[in-house]
Amino acid sequence: MSLCRPIVLLALSAVAVPALAAEDFARVVASMPVIQAVTVPQQVCTPQQVTTPGSKSGAGAVIGAIAGGALGNQVGKGGGRAVATGVGLVGGALLGNQIEGSSAPQTQTVQQCSTHNVVENRVTGYSVTFEYAGKQYTTQMAQDPGAWIRLALVPVGGSAAQPVSGTPGAVSPSAYR
């Protein structure tokens, strides 16, 4: 029997004290996008023709050095032969390199890219006007709420309902009906 008395008192106290918050819905009267100019980086690429000069393989210099060294070795005797061989090597390498010539220049298409800042108009939120309990309220929201908006109803000192700011998606004109 003593166990039933606290349960009954607890049940009666829950009925006597109203809830601290409730939810309701309000009809959206207008929802206008808030548009701002935003700077956005954008990569721009263009194709460009690049010509690379022809290069030598070095084979002409090697063959010229061998031929020049062999010819220089045929000239003179003793120490003069060594000098003639050295001169033949250097002269043959220079002459062989000139005779080889360069290969044809090569042309390639490459992408040249750079970043440009572009200004775009973007929707940054919505200015929403809704009607609740015969009054109209306006708030800012991140997304368009549609035809109805969910409200968090919070009593304010027993007075009439006032919008509560700072709660995204739940605007709060309060007072119980």
Side-chain angles (χ1 to χ4, degrees):
M1 185 73 106
S2 63
L3 196 56
C4 290
R5 181 175 280 174
I7 294 174
V8 170
L9 289 176
L10 183 61
L12 287 175
S13 68
V15 172
V17 178
L20 296 178
E23 285 187 5
D24 203 355
F25 290 89
R27 185 176 59 85
V28 173
V29 177
S31 178
M32 299 296 295
V34 176
I35 299 174
Q36 289 183 331
V38 179
T39 302
V40 179
Q42 186 176 33
Q43 187 177 34
V44 178
C45 296
T46 56
Q48 289 189 336
Q49 297 285 332
V50 176
T51 301
T52 312
S55 60
K56 298 181 180 184
S57 67
V62 171
I63 293 172
I66 292 170
L71 287 175
N73 194 36
Q74 299 298 319
V75 177
K77 291 187 181 181
R81 182 179 282 188
V83 172
T85 302
V87 171
L89 282 171
V90 173
L94 292 173
L95 186 61
N97 194 40
Q98 290 297 329
I99 292 171
E100 178 186 6
S102 298
S103 62
Q106 294 182 349
T107 302
Q108 296 176 342
T109 302
V110 295
Q111 290 286 342
Q112 187 74 25
C113 298
S114 61
T115 301
H116 297 275
N117 288 328
V118 178
V119 177
E120 294 180 358
N121 289 329
R122 295 215 174 155
V123 175
T124 58
Y126 290 84
S127 177
V128 178
T129 302
F130 61 95
E131 186 174 68
Y132 183 76
K135 292 185 179 179
Q136 286 192 353
Y137 299 91
T138 301
T139 187
Q140 297 289 319
M141 299 183 78
Q143 296 181 6
D144 188 354
W148 296 91
I149 186 171
R150 184 180 59 113
L151 303 176
L153 302 176
V154 179
V156 179
S159 65
Q162 295 298 320
V164 174
S165 62
T167 306
V171 182
S172 179
S174 61
Y176 296 105
R177 295 189 273 173

